[in-house]
Every structure is written in C-alpha cells, then in structure tokens.
C-alpha cells in the first residue's frame, strides 16, 4: 500500500520536503515547525498498489494554538523500532527516527 495526504481539498496533495514527512510504514504525517500556511484540513489516502483500490480517512483539522499552552519541552527522539529487525541479504531496510523538542 501507499500512503499520501490531501491538504484542504482533492487533488492538493501534501508534498514531502524539509518540514513534511509521510511515513510509508505507519501512514503518519509529520510536520515540523508548523506555520500558518499548514492550517487546514488533512485527509489520509491509502492506495492498494495491486488492486488500485483507494480509501480516504475522515478529515482531520489542524489549527494553531496562540495561548502558549504547548510551551517549551525538552528534546527527545521518538523511535518505534521492533526489538529485532530481520532482513534478507540484498534487501532494503527502512528504519524511521524522529526528533522533536526545543
């Protein structure tokens, strides 16, 4: 399957860049340093590459907080690796790691 995200309305897809990343492992969309231009509605699109069937999630709104509640938080690294990763020789292994905080 392939994960992609629609921003506000179809066919405006989220493009991956230095601030946006779509995990093809989990389907999660990660946005760093959220800006006013990121505010809107996001819909996850999952496509089965064998059957070409597509499924859309309900919209998820993204809004900005202006009340300072989020505050400062210490840096940490989010890693969701299984305890053991087994791979055949010559194959590609993808492991994802995300850093966040200030």
């Amino acid at each position: 399957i392939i994960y992609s995200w629609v921003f506000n309305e179809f066919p405006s897809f989220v493009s991956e860049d230095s601030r946006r990343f779509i995990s093809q492992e989990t389907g999660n969309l990660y946005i760093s340093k959220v800006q006013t231009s990121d505010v809107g509605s996001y819909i996850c699109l999952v496509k089965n590459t064998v059957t070409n069937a597509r499924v859309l999630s309900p919209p998820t709104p993204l809004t900005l907080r202006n009340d300072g509640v989020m505050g400062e938080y210490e840096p940490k690294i989010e890693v969701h690796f299984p305890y053991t990763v087994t791979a055949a020789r010559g194959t590609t292994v993808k492991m994802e790691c995300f850093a966040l905080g200030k």
Side-chain angles (χ1 to χ4, degrees), residues 58-76:
T60 301
L62 173 67
T63 58
L64 291 181
R65 294 187 76 138
N66 294 320
D67 56 11
V69 171
M70 297 303 285
E72 300 274 333
Y73 52 94
E74 66 184 37
K76 68 177 183 174

Side-chain angles (χ1 to χ4, degrees), residues 25 85-95:
E25 185 71 27
V85 177
T86 305
R89 182 182 304 155
T91 61
T92 300
V93 176
K94 182 177 180 182
M95 295 184 275

